[in-house]
Every structure is written in structure tokens, then in C-alpha cells.
């Protein structure tokens, strides 16, 4: 079952307390390295403005702050107040005064007008209408700015029992087989100019990076995939 917004809020409201602890398991699988690689691919410079879509408890914030420097700006957006509360604790503990956290739906939340970069980690694959979010972000990316997306996908060559096991393990985070058809990289690579695309974890995860080179290339197919 694909979750509605209210259901997503409940799921991540429950998991906020142990979410960071659960990330340790994923870091052992190399996810932390993939996060860093995704953010490195944005080519952010000091003074840049970047948005973290579905920022959760703020796992990306330290890396983003380091790259934009004290004169830059980091905007994190998430649907879950409980997850954002954890992120705000992280911001306060580190004294980051150039980080702004916003609670809202990625489809309607305010975005900075001129973005030097955007990143989404394990967020867009939970949105059936992700193409709408991608288009909104693409409209605000300056020429040369990049969008990096890191997420889970259904592996093409895994046996069914192993896929079912992976879904069971990730069920506390709202994952179900119904999300297999959600492929955000299609919208990103159709609306922007592809830079790189890589699968890892034996095809169970992906990282795509694309760049804005001018007016976005709107297509009808990205709305239906």
C-alpha cells in the first residue's frame, strides 16, 4: 500500500526516536559513503544555497554545511514534525546559524528562488507524484546547479524471497512492494541533463545526478512513470 501524507507522518513520527540508531546498519552497508558521494557530486561552493528534500533527522546537514561554508545557506524540508525536532536538536548542538528547517509537503513547501544545488536521500521514492517535486526543484536550479538523488529501488535480479525479506526489514519505514513502480530518477534525468547514474547494494539502491543547463525539459512521460 502506498501511504498517504497522514500515514507517512504517523510512520515517521513513530520511527523518529530510533531512526538515527537504525541508520548505523545502513552505514555498515556503505550508505554513509553514498550520501557523501551524492553531496560531493553537487559541486557546492562557499556561499551556495542548497535544499535537502526530505531531510529527516538531518543526516546530510553536517556535510552540506561544510560545503557551503558560513556564508552559504542550507534549507531542509520534511513532512514529519518529529523527525524535524531531531534535526533541530542537531542544528542547535552544532550552532549552525545558516540552516533553516521547514515542515511541509515537498509538493507545496516554499523553496528558495535560486538554488545552487538540491539533494534527496531516501525520500522521493516514497512519493508517487515525485515528478511534480522534481519539476518544482528544477525550476529553481540555476544553470550549472545539480540535483543528486539517492534512494532504494527494487533489484531486478533478486529472487522473490530475498526481495520480500528486504521489504520486511524496511517495513517500519513504510516500505512495501507497491513502491516498486516509483522511479524518481526517470523524472530527474528527463527534466535535467544527466551527469551520472549508479546502482549499488546489488541493485537495491541507486544514485543519480543531473544538472540544470537552461529551461527545464518538460516531458509527459516523466509524469506517468
Amino acid at each position: 500500500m502506498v501511504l498517504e501524507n497522514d500515514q507517512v507522518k504517523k510512520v515517521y513520527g513513530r520511527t523518529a526516536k530510533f531512526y538515527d540508531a537504525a541508520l548505523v546498519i545502513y552505514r555498515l552497508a556503505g550508505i554513509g559513503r553514498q550520501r557523501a558521494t551524492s553531496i560531493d557530486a553537487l559541486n557546492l561552493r562557499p556561499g551556495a544555497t542548497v535544499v535537502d528534500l526530505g531531510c529527516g533527522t538531518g543526516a546530510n546537514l553536517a556535510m552540506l554545511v561544510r560545503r557551503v561554508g558560513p556564508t552559504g545557506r542550507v534549507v531542509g524540508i520534511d513532512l514529519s514534525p518529529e523527525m524535524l525536532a531531531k534535526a533541530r536538536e542537531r542544528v542547535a548542538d552544532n550552532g549552525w546559524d545558516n540552516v533553516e528547517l521547514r515542515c511541509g509537503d515537498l509538493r507545496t513547501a516554499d523553496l528558495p528562488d535560486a538554488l545552487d544545488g538540491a539533494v534527496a536521500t531516501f525520500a522521493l521514492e516514497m512519493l508517487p507524484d515525485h515528478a511534480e517535486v522534481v519539476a518544482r526543484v528544477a525550476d529553481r536550479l540555476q544553470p550549472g546547479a545539480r540535483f543528486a538523488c539517492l534512494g532504494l529501488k527494487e533489484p531486478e535480479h533478486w529472487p522473490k524471497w530475498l526481495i520480500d525479506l528486504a521489504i520486511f526489514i524496511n517495513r517500519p519505514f513504510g516500505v512495501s512492494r507497491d513502491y516498486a513502480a516509483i522511479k524518481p530518477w526517470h523524472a530527474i534525468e528527463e527534466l535535467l541533463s544527466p551527469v551520472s547514474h549508479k546502482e549499488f547494494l546489488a541493485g537495491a539502491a541507486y544514485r543519480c545526478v543531473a544538472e540544470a543547463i537552461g529551461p527545464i525539459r518538460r516531458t509527459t512521460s516523466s509524469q506517468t512513470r
Side-chain angles (χ1 to χ4, degrees), residues 174-195:
V175 174
S176 71
R177 186 175 286 276
D178 293 325
Y179 286 94
I182 301 177
K183 302 176 180 180
W185 62 91
H186 284 311
I188 294 171
E189 293 171 351
E190 288 175 354
L191 292 175
L192 299 168
S193 179
V195 172

Side-chain angles (χ1 to χ4, degrees), residues 124-148:
L124 294 189
E125 65 267 26
M126 299 297 291
L127 292 172
D129 45 1
H130 54 272
E132 181 181 343
V133 176
V134 173
R136 294 186 70 233
V137 174
D139 275 332
R140 289 163 175 78
L141 287 175
Q142 302 193 80
R146 291 183 172 184
F147 191 156

Side-chain angles (χ1 to χ4, degrees), residues 2-214:
V2 174
L3 303 180
E4 300 291 339
N5 276 0
D6 288 345
Q7 295 170 307
V8 172
K9 285 184 179 180
K10 289 180 181 178
V11 166
Y12 284 93
R14 291 194 301 266
T15 60
K17 293 180 180 179
F18 63 83
Y19 187 83
D20 286 339
L23 287 184
V24 173
I25 300 173
Y26 295 93
R27 290 193 189 101
L28 293 174
I31 292 300
R33 183 174 64 255
Q34 295 296 339
R35 284 182 185 270
T37 300
S38 299
I39 291 171
D40 283 343
L42 296 178
N43 292 339
L44 295 170
R45 296 182 178 182
T49 296
V50 61
V51 64
D52 187 356
L53 303 166
C55 65
T57 61
N60 296 329
L61 293 181
M63 292 181 284
L64 293 171
V65 169
R66 282 197 298 270
R67 284 157 179 78
V68 304
T71 61
R73 181 186 179 199
V74 178
V75 178
I77 303 172
D78 201 90
L79 187 64
S80 167
E82 291 84 359
M83 296 286 276
L84 279 178
K86 295 291 185 181
R88 289 193 174 97
E89 290 178 7
R90 194 187 298 258
V91 171
D93 289 344
N94 287 278
W96 296 324
D97 57 8
N98 60 340
V99 175
E100 180 183 352
L101 299 176
R102 302 176 181 179
C103 187
D105 188 329
L106 295 179
R107 297 168 299 181
T108 58
D110 289 337
L111 297 172
D113 290 331
L115 286 172
D116 300 299
V119 63
T121 55
F122 306 102
L124 294 189
E125 65 267 26
M126 299 297 291
L127 292 172
D129 45 1
H130 54 272
E132 181 181 343
V133 176
V134 173
R136 294 186 70 233
V137 174
D139 275 332
R140 289 163 175 78
L141 287 175
Q142 302 193 80
R146 291 183 172 184
F147 191 156
C149 185
L150 175 67
L152 298 176
K153 60 180 289 291
E154 182 169 290
E156 296 176 5
H157 304 296
W158 284 22
K160 182 180 181 299
W161 69 265
L162 188 54
I163 292 175
D164 289 340
L165 177 60
I167 290 173
F168 176 78
I169 293 171
N170 288 280
R171 193 176 301 278
F173 306 107
V175 174
S176 71
R177 186 175 286 276
D178 293 325
Y179 286 94
I182 301 177
K183 302 176 180 180
W185 62 91
H186 284 311
I188 294 171
E189 293 171 351
E190 288 175 354
L191 292 175
L192 299 168
S193 179
V195 172
S196 64
H197 186 109
K198 179 179 177 60
E199 293 187 2
F200 55 98
L201 294 182
Y206 72 94
R207 182 185 70 249
C208 78
V209 181
E211 184 173 285
I213 57 174

